[in-house]
Coordinates of all heavy atoms in Angstrom, one line a residue:
M1 N 23.8 -30.4 -10.8 CA 22.4 -30.3 -10.5 C 21.6 -30.8 -11.6 O 21.8 -30.5 -12.8 CB 22.1 -28.8 -10.3 CG 20.7 -28.6 -9.7 SD 20.5 -27.0 -9.0 CE 18.7 -26.8 -9.3
A2 N 20.7 -31.8 -11.3 CA 19.9 -32.4 -12.3 C 18.8 -31.5 -12.8 O 18.1 -30.8 -12.0 CB 19.3 -33.7 -11.8
S3 N 18.5 -31.5 -14.0 CA 17.4 -30.7 -14.6 C 16.4 -31.6 -15.3 O 16.8 -32.6 -15.9 CB 17.9 -29.6 -15.5 OG 18.5 -30.2 -16.6
K4 N 15.2 -31.4 -15.2 CA 14.2 -32.2 -15.9 C 13.1 -31.3 -16.5 O 12.9 -30.2 -16.0 CB 13.6 -33.2 -14.9 CG 12.8 -32.6 -13.8 CD 12.2 -33.7 -13.0 CE 11.5 -33.2 -11.8 NZ 10.9 -34.3 -11.0
E5 N 12.5 -31.8 -17.5 CA 11.4 -31.0 -18.1 C 10.1 -31.3 -17.5 O 9.8 -32.5 -17.2 CB 11.4 -31.4 -19.6 CG 12.5 -30.7 -20.4 CD 12.3 -31.0 -21.8 OE1 11.4 -31.7 -22.2 OE2 13.1 -30.5 -22.6
I6 N 9.3 -30.4 -17.3 CA 8.0 -30.6 -16.8 C 7.0 -30.0 -17.8 O 7.3 -29.1 -18.5 CB 7.8 -30.0 -15.3 CG1 8.1 -28.5 -15.4 CG2 8.6 -30.7 -14.3 CD1 7.6 -27.7 -14.2
Q7 N 5.8 -30.6 -17.7 CA 4.8 -30.1 -18.6 C 3.9 -29.1 -17.9 O 3.4 -29.4 -16.8 CB 4.0 -31.3 -19.1 CG 2.9 -31.0 -20.1 CD 3.5 -30.7 -21.5 OE1 4.5 -31.2 -21.9 NE2 2.9 -29.7 -22.2
V8 N 3.8 -28.0 -18.5 CA 3.0 -27.0 -17.9 C 1.7 -26.9 -18.6 O 1.6 -26.6 -19.8 CB 3.7 -25.6 -17.8 CG1 2.8 -24.5 -17.2 CG2 5.0 -25.7 -17.1
K9 N 0.6 -27.1 -17.9 CA -0.7 -27.0 -18.6 C -1.1 -25.6 -18.9 O -0.7 -24.7 -18.2 CB -1.7 -27.6 -17.7 CG -1.8 -29.2 -17.8 CD -3.0 -29.6 -17.0 CE -3.0 -31.2 -16.9 NZ -4.0 -31.6 -15.9
E10 N -1.8 -25.5 -19.9 CA -2.3 -24.2 -20.2 C -3.7 -24.0 -19.7 O -4.6 -24.8 -20.0 CB -2.3 -24.0 -21.8 CG -2.7 -22.6 -22.2 CD -2.6 -22.5 -23.7 OE1 -1.8 -23.1 -24.3 OE2 -3.5 -21.8 -24.3
Y11 N -3.8 -22.9 -19.0 CA -5.2 -22.7 -18.5 C -5.8 -21.4 -19.2 O -5.1 -20.5 -19.4 CB -5.1 -22.3 -17.0 CG -4.7 -23.6 -16.1 CD1 -3.4 -23.7 -15.8 CD2 -5.6 -24.5 -15.8 CE1 -3.0 -24.8 -15.0 CE2 -5.2 -25.6 -15.1 CZ -3.9 -25.7 -14.7 OH -3.6 -26.8 -13.9
T12 N -7.0 -21.6 -19.5 CA -7.6 -20.5 -20.1 C -8.9 -20.1 -19.3 O -9.7 -20.9 -19.0 CB -8.1 -20.8 -21.6 OG1 -7.0 -21.4 -22.3 CG2 -8.6 -19.6 -22.3
V13 N -8.9 -18.9 -19.0 CA -10.1 -18.4 -18.2 C -10.9 -17.6 -19.1 O -10.4 -16.6 -19.7 CB -9.6 -17.5 -17.0 CG1 -10.8 -17.0 -16.3 CG2 -8.8 -18.4 -16.1
R14 N -12.1 -18.0 -19.3 CA -13.0 -17.3 -20.2 C -13.6 -16.1 -19.4 O -13.7 -16.1 -18.2 CB -14.1 -18.2 -20.7 CG -13.6 -19.0 -21.8 CD -14.7 -19.6 -22.6 NE -15.5 -20.6 -21.9 CZ -16.6 -21.2 -22.3 NH1 -17.1 -20.8 -23.4 NH2 -17.2 -22.1 -21.5
A15 N -13.9 -15.1 -20.2 CA -14.5 -14.0 -19.7 C -15.9 -14.4 -19.0 O -16.6 -15.2 -19.6 CB -14.8 -12.9 -20.7
H16 N -16.1 -13.9 -17.8 CA -17.3 -14.3 -17.2 C -17.8 -13.2 -16.3 O -17.1 -12.3 -15.9 CB -17.1 -15.6 -16.3 CG -16.0 -15.3 -15.3 ND1 -14.7 -15.4 -15.6 CD2 -16.1 -15.1 -14.0 CE1 -14.0 -15.1 -14.4 NE2 -14.8 -15.0 -13.5
K17 N -19.1 -13.3 -16.0 CA -19.5 -12.3 -15.1 C -19.5 -12.8 -13.7 O -19.7 -14.0 -13.4 CB -21.1 -12.1 -15.4 CG -21.3 -11.1 -16.5 CD -22.7 -10.8 -16.7 CE -23.0 -9.9 -17.9 NZ -24.4 -9.7 -18.2
R18 N -19.1 -11.9 -12.9 CA -19.0 -12.3 -11.5 C -20.0 -11.3 -10.7 O -20.0 -10.1 -10.9 CB -17.6 -12.1 -11.0 CG -17.4 -12.5 -9.5 CD -16.0 -12.3 -9.1 NE -15.2 -13.3 -9.6 CZ -13.8 -13.4 -9.3 NH1 -13.3 -12.5 -8.5 NH2 -13.1 -14.4 -9.9
Q19 N -20.6 -12.0 -9.8 CA -21.5 -11.2 -9.0 C -20.9 -10.8 -7.6 O -20.4 -11.7 -7.0 CB -22.8 -12.0 -8.7 CG -23.9 -11.2 -8.1 CD -25.2 -12.0 -7.9 OE1 -25.1 -13.2 -8.0 NE2 -26.3 -11.3 -7.6
I20 N -20.8 -9.6 -7.4 CA -20.3 -9.1 -6.1 C -21.4 -8.6 -5.3 O -22.4 -8.1 -5.9 CB -19.2 -8.1 -6.3 CG1 -19.7 -6.9 -7.1 CG2 -18.0 -8.7 -7.0 CD1 -18.8 -5.7 -7.1
H21 N -21.3 -8.8 -4.1 CA -22.3 -8.4 -3.2 C -22.2 -6.9 -2.7 O -21.3 -6.7 -1.9 CB -22.5 -9.3 -2.0 CG -22.8 -10.7 -2.5 ND1 -24.0 -11.1 -2.8 CD2 -22.0 -11.8 -2.7 CE1 -24.0 -12.4 -3.2 NE2 -22.7 -12.9 -3.2
T22 N -22.9 -6.1 -3.3 CA -22.9 -4.7 -2.8 C -24.1 -4.4 -2.1 O -25.2 -5.1 -2.3 CB -22.7 -3.7 -4.0 OG1 -23.8 -3.8 -4.8 CG2 -21.4 -4.0 -4.8
R23 N -24.0 -3.4 -1.2 CA -25.2 -3.0 -0.6 C -25.2 -1.5 -0.4 O -24.1 -0.9 -0.4 CB -25.5 -3.7 0.7 CG -24.3 -3.6 1.7 CD -24.7 -4.2 3.0 NE -25.8 -3.5 3.6 CZ -26.3 -3.8 4.8 NH1 -25.7 -4.8 5.5 NH2 -27.3 -3.2 5.4
V24 N -26.3 -0.9 -0.3 CA -26.4 0.5 -0.2 C -26.5 0.8 1.3 O -27.4 0.4 2.0 CB -27.5 1.1 -1.0 CG1 -27.6 2.5 -0.8 CG2 -27.4 0.7 -2.5
F25 N -25.6 1.6 1.7 CA -25.6 2.0 3.1 C -26.2 3.4 3.2 O -25.9 4.3 2.4 CB -24.2 2.1 3.7 CG -23.6 0.7 4.1 CD1 -22.7 0.1 3.3 CD2 -24.1 0.2 5.3 CE1 -22.3 -1.2 3.7 CE2 -23.6 -1.1 5.7 CZ -22.7 -1.7 4.9
N26 N -27.0 3.6 4.1 CA -27.5 4.9 4.4 C -26.8 5.3 5.7 O -26.9 4.7 6.8 CB -29.0 5.0 4.6 CG -29.7 4.7 3.4 OD1 -29.6 5.4 2.4 ND2 -30.5 3.6 3.3
F27 N -26.1 6.5 5.6 CA -25.3 6.9 6.7 C -25.0 8.4 6.7 O -25.5 9.1 5.7 CB -23.9 6.2 6.7 CG -23.1 6.5 5.5 CD1 -22.0 7.4 5.6 CD2 -23.3 6.0 4.2 CE1 -21.3 7.8 4.5 CE2 -22.6 6.3 3.1 CZ -21.6 7.2 3.3
V28 N -24.5 8.9 7.7 CA -24.2 10.3 7.8 C -22.7 10.4 7.6 O -21.9 9.8 8.2 CB -24.6 10.9 9.1 CG1 -24.2 12.3 9.2 CG2 -26.1 10.7 9.3
C29 N -22.4 11.3 6.6 CA -21.0 11.5 6.3 C -20.2 12.1 7.4 O -20.7 13.0 8.1 CB -20.9 12.3 5.0 SG -19.2 12.8 4.6
K30 N -19.1 11.6 7.7 CA -18.3 12.1 8.8 C -17.7 13.5 8.6 O -17.3 14.2 9.4 CB -17.2 11.1 9.2 CG -17.6 10.0 10.1 CD -16.4 9.5 10.8 CE -16.8 8.6 12.0 NZ -15.7 8.2 12.8
Q31 N -17.6 13.8 7.3 CA -17.0 15.0 7.0 C -17.9 16.2 6.8 O -17.8 17.3 7.4 CB -16.1 14.9 5.7 CG -15.3 16.1 5.5 CD -14.1 15.7 4.6 OE1 -13.5 14.6 4.7 NE2 -13.7 16.5 3.6
C32 N -19.0 15.9 6.0 CA -19.9 17.0 5.8 C -21.2 16.9 6.6 O -22.1 17.8 6.5 CB -20.2 17.2 4.3 SG -21.0 15.7 3.6
D33 N -21.3 15.9 7.3 CA -22.5 15.6 8.3 C -23.8 15.7 7.5 O -24.8 16.0 8.1 CB -22.5 16.8 9.3 CG -21.6 16.4 10.5 OD1 -21.4 15.2 10.7 OD2 -21.2 17.3 11.2
R34 N -23.8 15.3 6.3 CA -25.0 15.1 5.6 C -25.3 13.6 5.5 O -24.4 12.8 5.3 CB -24.9 15.7 4.2 CG -25.0 17.2 4.2 CD -25.2 17.8 2.8 NE -24.0 17.5 2.0 CZ -23.8 18.0 0.8 NH1 -24.7 18.7 0.3 NH2 -22.8 17.7 0.1
S35 N -26.6 13.4 5.6 CA -27.0 12.0 5.4 C -27.0 11.6 3.9 O -27.4 12.4 3.0 CB -28.4 11.8 5.9 OG -29.3 12.5 5.1
T36 N -26.4 10.5 3.6 CA -26.2 10.2 2.2 C -26.3 8.6 2.1 O -26.3 7.9 3.2 CB -24.9 10.6 1.8 OG1 -24.7 10.3 0.4 CG2 -23.7 10.0 2.5
S37 N -26.3 8.2 1.0 CA -26.3 6.7 0.8 C -25.2 6.4 -0.3 O -24.9 7.2 -1.1 CB -27.6 6.2 0.3 OG -27.9 6.8 -1.0
R38 N -24.7 5.3 -0.1 CA -23.5 5.0 -0.9 C -23.5 3.4 -1.1 O -23.6 2.7 -0.2 CB -22.2 5.4 -0.3 CG -21.0 5.3 -1.2 CD -19.9 6.0 -0.6 NE -18.8 6.0 -1.6 CZ -17.6 6.7 -1.4 NH1 -17.5 7.5 -0.4 NH2 -16.7 6.6 -2.3
E39 N -23.3 3.1 -2.3 CA -23.2 1.6 -2.6 C -21.8 1.2 -2.4 O -20.8 1.8 -2.9 CB -23.6 1.4 -4.0 CG -23.8 -0.1 -4.3 CD -24.2 -0.4 -5.7 OE1 -24.2 0.6 -6.5 OE2 -24.6 -1.5 -6.0
T40 N -21.6 0.1 -1.6 CA -20.3 -0.4 -1.3 C -20.3 -1.9 -1.2 O -21.4 -2.5 -1.0 CB -19.7 0.3 -0.1 OG1 -18.4 -0.3 0.2 CG2 -20.6 0.0 1.1
Y41 N -19.2 -2.5 -1.4 CA -19.1 -3.9 -1.3 C -18.2 -4.2 0.0 O -17.9 -5.4 0.2 CB -18.6 -4.6 -2.5 CG -17.3 -4.0 -3.1 CD1 -16.1 -4.5 -2.6 CD2 -17.3 -3.0 -4.0 CE1 -15.0 -3.9 -3.1 CE2 -16.2 -2.5 -4.5 CZ -15.0 -3.0 -4.1 OH -13.8 -2.5 -4.6
G42 N -17.8 -3.2 0.6 CA -17.0 -3.4 1.8 C -17.8 -3.1 3.0 O -18.9 -3.2 3.1
P43 N -17.0 -2.6 4.0 CA -17.6 -2.2 5.3 C -18.4 -0.9 5.1 O -18.3 -0.3 4.0 CB -16.4 -2.1 6.2 CG -15.3 -1.8 5.3 CD -15.6 -2.5 4.0
R44 N -19.0 -0.5 6.1 CA -19.8 0.7 6.0 C -18.9 1.9 5.8 O -17.9 2.1 6.5 CB -20.5 0.9 7.4 CG -21.2 2.2 7.5 CD -21.8 2.3 8.9 NE -23.1 1.5 9.0 CZ -24.3 2.1 8.8 NH1 -24.4 3.4 8.6 NH2 -25.3 1.3 8.8
P45 N -19.3 2.6 4.8 CA -18.4 3.8 4.4 C -18.6 4.9 5.5 O -19.5 5.0 6.2 CB -18.9 4.2 3.1 CG -20.3 3.8 3.0 CD -20.4 2.5 3.8
L46 N -17.6 5.8 5.6 CA -17.6 6.8 6.5 C -17.9 8.2 5.8 O -18.4 9.1 6.5 CB -16.3 6.9 7.3 CG -15.9 5.8 8.2 CD1 -14.5 5.9 8.7 CD2 -16.9 5.6 9.3
Y47 N -17.5 8.3 4.6 CA -17.7 9.5 3.9 C -18.6 9.4 2.7 O -18.6 8.3 2.1 CB -16.3 10.1 3.5 CG -15.4 10.1 4.7 CD1 -14.4 9.2 4.9 CD2 -15.5 11.2 5.5 CE1 -13.5 9.3 6.0 CE2 -14.6 11.4 6.6 CZ -13.6 10.4 6.8 OH -12.8 10.5 7.9
C48 N -19.2 10.4 2.3 CA -20.0 10.4 1.1 C -19.1 10.5 -0.1 O -17.9 10.7 -0.1 CB -21.0 11.6 1.1 SG -20.2 13.2 0.9
E49 N -19.8 10.3 -1.3 CA -19.0 10.3 -2.5 C -18.4 11.6 -2.9 O -17.5 11.8 -3.7 CB -19.9 9.8 -3.6 CG -20.1 8.3 -3.5 CD -21.0 7.8 -4.7 OE1 -21.1 8.5 -5.7 OE2 -21.5 6.7 -4.6
T50 N -19.0 12.7 -2.3 CA -18.4 14.0 -2.5 C -17.1 14.2 -1.8 O -16.2 14.7 -2.3 CB -19.5 15.1 -2.1 OG1 -20.7 14.7 -2.6 CG2 -19.0 16.4 -2.6
C51 N -17.1 13.7 -0.6 CA -15.9 13.9 0.3 C -14.9 12.9 -0.2 O -13.7 13.3 -0.1 CB -16.3 13.8 1.7 SG -17.4 15.1 2.3
R52 N -15.3 11.7 -0.4 CA -14.4 10.7 -0.8 C -14.8 10.1 -2.1 O -15.5 9.1 -2.1 CB -14.3 9.6 0.3 CG -13.6 10.1 1.6 CD -12.1 10.3 1.4 NE -11.5 10.7 2.7 CZ -11.5 11.9 3.2 NH1 -12.1 12.8 2.6 NH2 -10.9 12.1 4.4
P53 N -14.5 10.7 -3.2 CA -14.9 10.2 -4.5 C -14.3 8.9 -4.8 O -13.1 8.7 -4.5 CB -14.5 11.3 -5.5 CG -13.4 12.1 -4.8 CD -13.7 11.9 -3.3
P54 N -15.1 7.9 -5.2 CA -14.5 6.6 -5.6 C -13.5 6.7 -6.7 O -13.7 7.5 -7.6 CB -15.7 5.8 -5.9 CG -16.7 6.8 -6.4 CD -16.5 8.0 -5.7
G55 N -12.5 5.9 -6.6 CA -11.5 6.0 -7.7 C -10.5 4.9 -7.4 O -10.6 4.3 -6.4
P56 N -9.6 4.8 -8.3 CA -8.5 3.8 -8.1 C -7.7 4.2 -6.9 O -7.3 5.4 -6.8 CB -7.7 3.8 -9.4 CG -8.1 5.1 -10.0 CD -9.5 5.5 -9.6
P57 N -7.5 3.3 -6.1 CA -6.6 3.6 -4.9 C -5.2 4.0 -5.3 O -4.5 3.3 -6.1 CB -6.6 2.3 -4.1 CG -6.9 1.2 -5.1 CD -7.8 1.8 -6.2
K58 N -4.8 5.1 -4.7 CA -3.5 5.5 -5.0 C -2.5 4.7 -4.2 O -2.6 4.7 -3.0 CB -3.4 7.0 -4.7 CG -4.0 7.8 -5.9 CD -4.2 9.2 -5.5 CE -5.0 10.0 -6.6 NZ -5.4 11.3 -6.1
K59 N -1.6 4.1 -4.9 CA -0.7 3.3 -4.1 C 0.2 4.0 -3.1 O 0.3 3.7 -2.0 CB 0.2 2.5 -5.1 CG -0.6 1.4 -5.8 CD 0.2 0.3 -6.3 CE -0.6 -0.9 -6.7 NZ 0.2 -1.9 -7.4
S60 N 0.8 5.1 -3.6 CA 1.6 5.8 -2.7 C 1.8 7.2 -3.3 O 2.0 7.4 -4.6 CB 2.9 5.1 -2.5 OG 3.8 5.2 -3.6
L61 N 1.7 8.2 -2.5 CA 1.9 9.5 -2.9 C 3.3 10.0 -2.6 O 3.7 11.1 -2.8 CB 0.9 10.5 -2.3 CG -0.5 10.2 -2.8 CD1 -1.5 11.0 -1.9 CD2 -0.7 10.6 -4.2
V62 N 4.1 9.0 -2.2 CA 5.5 9.4 -1.8 C 6.3 9.5 -3.1 O 6.5 8.6 -3.8 CB 6.1 8.3 -0.9 CG1 7.4 8.8 -0.4 CG2 5.2 8.1 0.3
E63 N 6.7 10.7 -3.3 CA 7.5 11.0 -4.5 C 9.0 10.6 -4.2 O 9.5 10.9 -3.1 CB 7.4 12.4 -4.9 CG 6.4 12.7 -5.9 CD 6.4 14.1 -6.4 OE1 7.5 14.6 -6.8 OE2 5.4 14.8 -6.3
P64 N 9.5 9.9 -5.1 CA 11.0 9.7 -4.9 C 11.8 11.0 -4.9 O 11.6 11.8 -5.8 CB 11.4 8.8 -6.0 CG 10.3 9.1 -7.1 CD 9.1 9.4 -6.3
K65 N 12.4 11.1 -3.8 CA 13.2 12.4 -3.7 C 14.3 12.5 -4.7 O 15.1 11.6 -4.8 CB 13.7 12.5 -2.3 CG 12.7 13.0 -1.3 CD 13.3 13.3 0.1 CE 12.2 13.7 1.0 NZ 12.7 13.7 2.4
K66 N 14.3 13.6 -5.3 CA 15.4 13.8 -6.3 C 16.6 14.3 -5.6 O 16.7 15.4 -5.2 CB 15.0 14.8 -7.4 CG 14.0 14.2 -8.4 CD 13.5 15.2 -9.4 CE 12.5 14.5 -10.3 NZ 11.9 15.6 -11.2
K67 N 17.4 13.3 -5.5 CA 18.6 13.6 -4.7 C 19.8 13.3 -5.6 O 19.9 12.2 -6.1 CB 18.7 12.8 -3.5 CG 19.6 13.3 -2.4 CD 19.5 12.5 -1.2 CE 20.5 12.9 -0.1 NZ 20.4 12.1 1.1
A68 N 20.5 14.3 -5.9 CA 21.7 14.0 -6.8 C 22.7 13.2 -6.1 O 23.1 13.4 -5.0 CB 22.3 15.4 -7.1
K69 N 23.0 12.1 -6.9 CA 24.0 11.2 -6.2 C 25.4 11.8 -6.3 O 25.7 12.4 -7.4 CB 23.9 9.9 -7.0 CG 22.9 8.9 -6.5 CD 23.2 7.5 -7.1 CE 22.1 6.6 -6.6 NZ 22.3 5.3 -7.4
P70 N 26.0 11.7 -5.3 CA 27.4 12.2 -5.4 C 28.2 11.4 -6.3 O 28.4 10.2 -6.2 CB 27.9 12.1 -3.9 CG 27.0 11.0 -3.3 CD 25.7 11.1 -4.0
R71 N 28.7 12.1 -7.3 CA 29.4 11.5 -8.4 C 30.9 11.5 -8.0 O 31.4 12.6 -7.6 CB 29.1 12.1 -9.7 CG 28.2 11.2 -10.6 CD 28.2 11.7 -11.9 NE 27.3 12.9 -12.0 CZ 27.1 13.7 -13.1 NH1 27.8 13.4 -14.1 NH2 26.3 14.7 -13.1
P72 N 31.5 10.4 -8.3 CA 32.9 10.6 -8.1 C 33.6 11.5 -9.1 O 33.4 11.4 -10.3 CB 33.4 9.1 -8.3 CG 32.4 8.5 -9.1 CD 31.1 9.2 -8.7
M73 N 34.3 12.4 -8.6 CA 34.8 13.4 -9.4 C 36.3 13.0 -9.7 O 37.0 12.5 -8.8 CB 34.8 14.8 -8.7 CG 33.4 15.2 -8.5 SD 32.6 15.9 -9.9 CE 33.3 17.6 -9.9
T74 N 36.6 13.3 -10.9 CA 38.1 13.0 -11.2 C 38.7 14.4 -11.3 O 38.4 15.2 -12.2 CB 38.2 12.3 -12.5 OG1 37.3 12.9 -13.5 CG2 37.8 10.8 -12.3
Y75 N 39.6 14.5 -10.4 CA 40.3 15.8 -10.4 C 41.7 15.6 -11.2 O 42.4 14.6 -10.9 CB 40.6 16.3 -9.0 CG 39.3 16.7 -8.3 CD1 38.8 15.8 -7.3 CD2 38.7 17.9 -8.5 CE1 37.6 16.1 -6.7 CE2 37.6 18.2 -7.9 CZ 37.0 17.3 -6.9 OH 35.9 17.7 -6.3
K76 N 41.8 16.5 -12.0 CA 43.1 16.5 -12.7 C 44.1 17.3 -11.9 O 43.9 18.5 -11.6 CB 43.0 17.0 -14.1 CG 42.5 16.0 -15.1 CD 42.4 16.5 -16.5 CE 41.8 15.5 -17.4 NZ 41.6 16.1 -18.8
S77 N 45.0 16.6 -11.5 CA 46.1 17.3 -10.8 C 47.1 17.8 -11.8 O 47.8 17.0 -12.5 CB 46.6 16.4 -9.7 OG 47.1 15.3 -10.3
D78 N 47.2 19.1 -11.8 CA 48.2 19.6 -12.7 C 49.5 19.9 -12.0 O 49.4 20.1 -10.7 CB 47.6 21.0 -13.3 CG 46.4 20.8 -14.0 OD1 46.4 19.8 -14.9 OD2 45.4 21.5 -13.9
G79 N 50.4 19.9 -12.7 CA 51.7 20.2 -12.2 C 52.3 19.3 -11.2 O 52.6 19.6 -10.1
E80 N 52.2 18.1 -11.6 CA 52.9 17.1 -10.7 C 54.2 16.7 -11.2 O 54.3 16.6 -12.4 CB 52.0 15.9 -10.4 CG 51.7 15.8 -8.9 CD 51.0 14.5 -8.6 OE1 51.6 13.5 -8.6 OE2 49.7 14.6 -8.4
Ligands
ZN1 ZN1 -19.4 14.2 2.8

């Protein structure tokens, strides 16, 4: 298999400000039935910030089950 060298350019991204389009929705929370407003950049929210506080999305709450792997046991056979 032939191999060759390629030149990889270095890219530098400078810190910059980015404008995201948010808008304030006035809506009634589905959970507490109170009219509230919430700033969002996505679709219309369904819940107020009290019921659904903003935060980093949790990727998964599935805990890996602690299951002891069956270890191969070495039995010493005595008296053979
Ligand atoms: Zn609510």
Side-chain angles (χ1 to χ4, degrees):
M1 193 166 151
S3 61
K4 62 178 179 180
E5 283 186 357
I6 55 165
Q7 184 72 33
V8 179
K9 277 187 190 173
E10 184 180 323
Y11 292 100
T12 309
V13 178
R14 281 199 288 174
H16 59 283
K17 274 186 184 173
R18 180 181 286 183
Q19 193 177 13
I20 55 170
H21 298 280
T22 62
R23 56 174 297 184
V24 177
F25 280 104
N26 292 300
F27 63 102
V28 177
C29 174
K30 273 204 167 186
Q31 189 158 317
C32 62
D33 273 338
R34 280 192 298 188
S35 66
T36 182
S37 63
R38 186 169 186 172
E39 189 179 10
T40 179
Y41 53 87
R44 172 182 281 262
L46 295 174
Y47 304 100
C48 66
E49 287 183 15
T50 312
C51 297
R52 292 288 186 278
K58 285 169 186 165
K59 287 203 169 170
S60 72
L61 292 170
V62 184
E63 267 185 53
K65 279 187 183 169
K66 281 178 186 172
K67 201 172 174 183
K69 272 190 182 175
R71 255 189 283 174
M73 299 281 277
T74 48
Y75 293 103
K76 275 183 186 172
S77 55
D78 298 315
E80 238 187 78

